[in-house]
Amino acid sequence: MKVLAGVLAVALTAAAPAGPVPAAGPGHGLSIHGDLKYGPGFPHFAYVDPAAPRGGDVRLGATGTFDNLNPFILKGVPAAGITTTFDTLTVNAADEPSSEYGLVAETIETPPDRSWVAFTIRTAARFHDGSPMTVEDVIWTFDTLRTKGHPLYRSYYGAVASVEKTGPRTVRFTFKPGDNRELPVIVGQLPVLSKAYWGGRDFTKTTLEAPLGSGAYRVDALEPGRSITYRRVRDYWAAALPVNVGRDNFDTIRYDYYRDGTVALEAFKAGAYDFRPEDSAKNWARGYDVPAVRDGRIRKELIPNEVPTGMQGFVYNTRRPIFRDPRVRAALAAAFDFEWSNAHLFYGAYTRTRSYFSNSELASRGLPGEAERAVLAPFRARVPDEVFTREYRPPSTEPGGLRPNLIGALGLLKQAGWVVRDMRLVNAETGEPLTFEVLIDDPNWERITLPFVKNLQRFGVAARVRTVDSAQYEYRLKQFDFDMTVAVFPQSLSPGNEQVDYWASVAADTPGSRNLAGVRDPVVDRLIEQLIAAPDRAALVARTRALDRVLLWGHYVIPHWHITAFRVAYWNRFGRPTTSPKYGLGFDTWWVDPRKAGGAR
C-alpha cells in the first residue's frame, strides 16, 4: 500500500460473485489484512501528543525549483508540501502496516469479498471557502483524475467498474471481478477536489494559482520557483478529529528552494531554515562540524524506524538495446565497489541492500521456503535457475578485491557477444562500443558515480556522468530518456498495487510511471497479480518474497545501500512526542517549543 502519488491498481480476472454480498456494516476504519489497532471512538494516534502547543513558524529546505500547484497532473514540477492543502477520504496510521481511518469519510463499508466499498461523507467536511464537500465532488474528482490527471491514475483506478451516489452523503465504488483486497484502501486515498472551483478552469494545465483545497494548510505566499509558504487554517473543519489530534501544529511552513544539496546544507548551518533530513553519510560525518552543533543549538539525531528500506540503486533502462541482455546487466554490476565506497565515502554508515524489501519480513533470504517454492513452481522454466538454487548477493570485493569481479564480468560479457578490442568493449558482430550515460541531478552523486565509471573503464566500457538541473531530470525520467540513473523504489509492509507502477509491463510505456527499468516480463506481471490477490498475511509474505527473487535475478538495478534510522538535524527549537511512529518520521506531529523558540539560530 502506498500514498496516492505512487500507486497503480490492476484489474485481475476471476469469476464474478453471484449477486451482491452484504457488508459487515459501516466502520470507522479499514485494514487490508488483520484487525485495526484503533477501535471506534479512539481519541488520537499513539504517536502524537494531544497536548502539543500550536503556533510558531518553521522553515524547510528544498532543492531545484517548482512551477505548478496542481500536483495531480503530469506536466510541471509540483511545489513541495502542496499535498497538505488537500484532504483525502481516509488517512493511514503510521504505526500500522495496512490500515486507514476516516477523514472526509465518516464511515467505510465493504463486503467480505471486497467487491465494492462505500464512503459516507461527514456533514462537517468543508473546502477552504466554506463550501461543503459532497458526493458529487468525490465522483467528479475520481472521473477527472482518471481521464485528465497524471497517467498513473488511469491504471490506478483501472479496477473500478463504476462509481455512484447511493445516498445523500454516500458514494459507492464497485470493482471489476477479481481478488484484490487492497482496492477499498486504495480508493480511500482519493483526494476530494472541488467540482465547482474547477468548473471554469483547465485541469490539465500547470498553474501558480493555488487550487481550492480543504486540508490543514493553505497557500499563503509564493515566489515562483524560489519559495512557498503555507499557513495553518484557523477554522480547519477536521482539526478535532481523532486522526488529526496532535498533528499540524505549526502556524506556517515555508519551503525555500536551493540550487543543490551543497548550497542547501550551508544555508541550514547558517540558520536559513530549521529542519533537515540528511541523506548523505559524508555530510552526516563531516558536514556539521560547526559551533552551533557543538554548543547544542543544532541537534543531530538518529531516529530508528521499522520502515522497509525499499531499493535504491543504479537503474538500467532496458529499453536501450545494450541493456536488454541480463548477462550484460549482471556483468556491469561487478564494477560497483560498495565496500570501497562504504569505507572511503560513507564512513562505514551503510549496509549493502540485498532485497527490494530490506528491513522487513518481506525480504527474500536463503533459499526459497516451501510456500515460496509453491508460488514459483509454475514459472520454473521461465525464470533463472538461480531463483531456486542460490540466495541473491550483489557482487562484493571482499576478500579478493575488484579484479576477480572484473574477470568474471568479462566472461559474462563474452557470452553475451561483447569482446575487448583495442582496450574497448565492443559488440563482436557489429564492432559497436558499449557506451552509456549515467543521468543524475545532484552533484553529490558525482563522487559516488565517478569511481563506478572509472571501474567500468578498466574493462573497456565507455560510461560517462551527466548532471542536469532538477526540472530537466524529472522531465527526462518521465519520458524514459536516459540510459542509467539513480532511483529509489520505496516499499511498505503491505506491498500491493503500486508494484504494477514499478515493474509491470503495462507501465513500461506509460510516461511518468515508476517502471524506470522498463521491465516487461509476463512472470513478473503474474507474480504482481498474485501478490495483490493475497488472501492473508502469510500468503502476502510468500508472494512478495517470490517477486523479490525474480526481480533480483533479473538484474534490473545495481543495488546500493540502506540505513534503518532517520538522520535528522534541526535547530533546537522543537518539541516532539515521546513515541515515534514505526513507519514514518512523523514531523507533522512536532511543534515549536515556546521555551526554545526565542533561541538564536
Side-chain angles (χ1 to χ4, degrees), residues 24-53:
H28 68 295
L30 184 66
S31 176
I32 299 175
H33 300 292
D35 297 329
L36 294 170
K37 175 177 179 176
Y38 298 97
F42 74 97
H44 55 79
F45 291 135
Y47 51 85
V48 307
D49 184 343

Side-chain angles (χ1 to χ4, degrees), residues 214-251:
S214 57
Y217 289 89
R218 66 194 310 168
V219 175
D220 186 59
L222 66 93
E223 296 178 73
R226 300 182 62 183
S227 72
I228 186 167
T229 301
Y230 303 92
R231 184 170 295 277
R232 184 161 52 85
V233 178
R234 294 291 182 180
D235 59 350
Y236 175 43
W237 73 271
L241 292 180
V243 295
N244 283 332
V245 169
R247 300 174 59 212
D248 306 318
N249 299 311
F250 307 121
D251 276 348

Side-chain angles (χ1 to χ4, degrees), residues 141-185:
T141 301
F142 174 81
D143 289 338
T144 300
L145 292 181
R146 185 157 64 170
T147 58
K148 298 180 180 180
H150 193 290
L152 69 87
Y153 292 113
R154 297 182 192 123
S155 295
Y156 179 52
Y157 299 129
V160 178
S162 64
V163 54
E164 59 183 328
K165 182 176 182 178
T166 57
R169 295 185 293 116
T170 302
V171 57
R172 175 167 163 165
F173 295 82
T174 301
F175 305 124
K176 295 176 181 178
D179 188 4
N180 189 333
R181 295 185 57 82
E182 192 182 14
L183 287 176
V185 175

Side-chain angles (χ1 to χ4, degrees), residues 65-73 75-80 82 85-86 197-198 201-212 218-230 255 257:
T65 187
F66 71 92
D67 61 5
N68 187 19
L69 300 185
N70 178 2
F72 306 111
I73 60 174
K75 295 179 181 178
V77 180
I82 190 63
T85 66
F86 303 98
Y197 172 85
W198 284 104
R201 295 171 171 85
D202 187 346
F203 189 82
T204 65
K205 291 185 177 180
T206 60
T207 179
L208 288 174
E209 173 190 344
L212 179 61
R218 66 194 310 168
V219 175
D220 186 59
L222 66 93
E223 296 178 73
R226 300 182 62 183
S227 72
I228 186 167
T229 301
Y230 303 92
Y255 290 87
Y257 277 76

Side-chain angles (χ1 to χ4, degrees), residues 525-547:
D525 294 342
R526 182 58 187 147
L527 288 172
I528 293 172
E529 292 176 356
Q530 292 185 7
L531 182 155
I532 291 170
D536 52 43
R537 184 71 187 175
L540 178 71
V541 170
R543 297 175 189 190
T544 302
R545 290 178 178 176
L547 174 64

